[in-house]
Amino acid sequence: MEMRQIRYFVRVIELGSMSRAAADLGVVQSALSQQISRLEGELSVRLLTRTSRGITATQAGLAFLPEARLILRHAEQARRAAQLSRLSGTVSVGLAPTTVSILALPFMRAMHERYPDVRLHMVESLSGHLADMLDRRQLDLAILFNINVSARWNTLPLIEEELFLIQSAQAATRLSAPVVQVGCLKDIPMILPTESHGLRSKLDAAFNRAGIKPLIVSEIDSLAMLMDSVNAGLGATIQPSAAVRRFPDAADRFVLSEITDLQDRHVNVLCSLADGELSPAALCTRLVLTHCVRTLVQAQHWPDARLTDLFS
């Protein structure tokens, strides 16, 4: 049994309506019905029945109701007891710009809700810079790309993202097809991050395998500036699709083409100091961060990403 299933059951009984309970709980009615059905399946009894007056409890439901309310009351008492000695302190977290566009706000909201006394120090920077900060103990944890993992870190590959050739819709070349290959990019003006960026080393390796020298017209280590340059038609770039997320009309502004022969996906790796170096607040923050990533991907709010085998 899950706590939300018990809470849903009690609220349906109290309101006598599945639709009113769903509205009160802030969930869609189908999800509410599904959770009630799972609860009934686990208990192997019918708890609710539909009558002309609405939803009422069966005999089994009436027997279960006082115990369910007791469980909820005890859970609330446990929550209050925990909050009296809740975690506090400061935790430093580093995220790359493409990750920030999807993960930062959901993560900060979750931390505020679960650990309101933990102060977050959020850093947005390139993966290579974040790795240096982690080595210098200026960060507790960070999500990095294609990095040389330090033996002193704890690491967990979280997700793999597809990489796309991204061009301005107004200045798209003959390669504005849904699918392209690295070898076809030889004469395309490219705007890429510098070699200090984890993504750049991956792309340079792909160019070498394809036997081409890319036509790099600009190197920019700011995602906002880079994407503004692409939007202005100054060149194309290669990034995860999350790079266009800050443009509300991205579908009209950009053409995205999947690159089929990059071999490896863009892996987002959660790196943290060793457990012995992390405070209790940092350990809990790491759990919240991983939960947020999993939730976003499973809810399909992280486009063109999938959980790694180690994290699924």
Side-chain angles (χ1 to χ4, degrees):
M1 286 184 290
E2 297 181 14
M3 195 65 62
R4 62 174 173 171
Q5 294 170 341
I6 298 173
R7 187 170 69 254
Y8 290 178
F9 163 75
V10 171
R11 200 61 182 140
V12 169
I13 294 296
E14 291 174 343
L15 294 178
S17 165
M18 198 73 74
S19 59
R20 286 199 296 270
D24 181 74
L25 292 164
V27 298
V28 296
Q29 187 171 336
S30 59
L32 177 61
S33 299
Q34 184 182 60
Q35 292 302 322
I36 296 293
S37 295
R38 288 180 179 176
L39 178 61
E40 291 177 327
E42 186 168 344
L43 296 175
S44 301
V45 294
R46 294 286 294 177
L47 298 173
L48 301 174
T49 185
R50 187 180 298 276
T51 71
S52 59
R53 294 174 296 170
I55 300 293
T56 61
T58 63
Q59 285 299 114
L62 290 173
F64 182 65
L65 181 60
E67 301 299 329
R69 284 174 168 153
L70 184 61
I71 290 171
L72 294 177
R73 186 162 65 250
H74 285 169
E76 177 62 18
Q77 290 172 350
R79 184 187 66 81
R80 290 176 180 174
Q83 286 185 336
L84 291 176
S85 57
R86 59 192 179 187
L87 290 174
S88 62
T90 299
V91 181
S92 297
V93 181
L95 300 176
T98 51
T99 309
V100 164
S101 67
I102 294 177
L103 179 60
L105 281 178
F107 166 61
M108 289 188 288
R109 287 191 182 109
M111 284 296 298
H112 179 73
E113 178 181 341
R114 299 179 198 182
Y115 302 109
D117 289 343
V118 173
R119 177 180 295 178
L120 286 176
H121 170 217
M122 301 293 295
V123 178
E124 177 183 344
S125 189
L126 299 180
S127 180
H129 184 213
L130 295 176
D132 290 339
M133 294 183 69
L134 198 59
D135 268 338
R136 294 195 299 267
R137 303 304 190 267
Q138 294 174 319
L139 293 175
D140 296 300
L141 53 148
I143 295 181
L144 308 177
F145 312 131
N146 310 305
I147 41 84
N148 294 319
V149 175
S150 169
R152 295 172 292 180
W153 298 347
N154 278 335
T155 61
L156 175 63
L158 297 176
I159 64 169
E160 298 176 350
E161 292 180 281
E162 295 282 0
L163 289 172
F164 294 84
L165 174 69
I166 303 177
Q167 304 176 82
S168 165
Q170 301 301 318
T173 69
R174 57 184 174 82
L175 283 182
S176 56
V179 174
V180 299
Q181 293 186 326
V182 174
C184 300
L185 306 182
K186 179 179 179 181
D187 299 322
I188 304 298
M190 300 295 296
I191 304 173
L192 299 176
T194 62
E195 294 178 357
S196 63
H197 198 293
L199 175 61
R200 177 62 182 274
S201 60
K202 179 185 185 69
L203 296 178
D204 284 346
F207 294 139
N208 287 334
R209 286 194 301 269
I212 68 169
K213 184 176 181 180
L215 177 60
I216 300 176
V217 296
S218 295
E219 292 182 313
I220 301 176
D221 282 341
S222 160
L223 182 66
M225 191 186 306
L226 187 152
M227 292 309 303
D228 283 343
S229 300
V230 173
N231 181 49
L234 301 181
T237 193
I238 299 175
Q239 290 282 342
S241 61
V244 304
R245 189 177 176 90
R246 71 187 185 92
F247 294 90
D249 56 346
D252 298 322
R253 287 177 180 266
F254 299 102
V255 174
L256 274 65
S257 304
E258 181 183 354
I259 305 173
T260 59
D261 56 344
L262 281 176
Q263 294 188 0
D264 299 320
R265 286 188 168 196
H266 191 50
V267 182
N268 293 239
V269 182
L270 175 60
C271 302
S272 65
L273 302 181
D275 285 2
E277 297 185 62
L278 293 178
S279 66
L283 291 170
C284 291
T285 300
R286 188 171 63 186
L287 290 175
V288 173
L289 188 62
T290 55
H291 176 74
C292 284
V293 170
R294 180 182 283 111
T295 300
L296 288 167
V297 174
Q298 290 177 339
Q300 299 183 342
H301 293 156
W302 200 315
D304 307 301
R306 70 173 181 85
L307 300 177
T308 64
D309 293 338
L310 292 175
F311 188 51
S312 43

